[in-house]
Amino acid sequence: MLLLAAGLSSCSSSFEFPSGATSSLPSDNTPSSTVSRNPNPGEFATLEQSVYQQVNQYRQSRKLPPLKLDARISEQARLHSQDMASGRVPFSHQGFEGRVKAIAKSISYRRAGENVAYNQGFSNPGQQAVEGWIKSTGHRENMEGNFDLTGMGVAKNARGQYYFTQIFIKRG
């Protein structure tokens, strides 16, 4: 099941330095309080790589340069997906400014954006997340935005819900 009602399955946020403004979209959906113990540890890495490749394929179809995957950004995205999957934070952009500040310790930036999504019950949950982002104006704007770096994070809770976070960075 993929929920695409605004604010329930996906949302986007972005800001440009120096404003630091963030937007947060609370969720009416409370995830399971535990993150799944994944029997296949490579599954999340494979999903992250797949979503990254799909986003770059989409950018290429729009004649935009590819985004470079950065491990430091992915670590922040992964932590946020894990926090949402575990219920430590609601499905939202809560903490976005903090994630960007953590990234800024090692990467000078001018602009940052974030897409989040969750879904359940699909054979290819990463593809469902990307397709949902493409259909959503705010997500699509981030995907097509003037960014050059990105990071991906995926987590799954005990109910089998996948949480995706993609952070976009334009270096300064």
Side-chain angles (χ1 to χ4, degrees), residues 42-52 124-126 154 162 164:
E43 177 189 11
F44 297 152
T46 300
L47 275 171
E48 289 169 0
Q49 186 65 32
S50 174
V51 171
Y52 165 68
N124 190 337
V154 177
Y162 287 88
F164 299 85

Side-chain angles (χ1 to χ4, degrees), residues 51-61 64-69 143 150 166:
V51 171
Y52 165 68
Q53 290 172 347
Q54 290 174 64
V55 169
N56 270 342
Q57 288 170 354
Y58 175 78
R59 285 177 63 88
Q60 182 180 11
S61 76
L64 297 168
L67 301 169
K68 182 180 175 192
L69 190 63
M143 290 172 63
T150 194
Q166 182 169 20

Side-chain angles (χ1 to χ4, degrees), residues 127-168:
Q127 181 179 348
Q128 292 298 320
V130 173
E131 288 176 3
W133 288 340
I134 291 170
K135 293 175 185 175
S136 164
T137 303
H139 298 93
R140 192 173 53 252
E141 287 173 355
N142 277 343
M143 290 172 63
E144 295 174 357
N146 183 20
F147 299 107
D148 53 359
L149 297 177
T150 194
M152 275 301 312
V154 177
K156 181 170 76 171
N157 67 18
R159 287 194 250 170
Q161 295 168 320
Y162 287 88
Y163 287 78
F164 299 85
T165 303
Q166 182 169 20
I167 298 174
F168 302 88

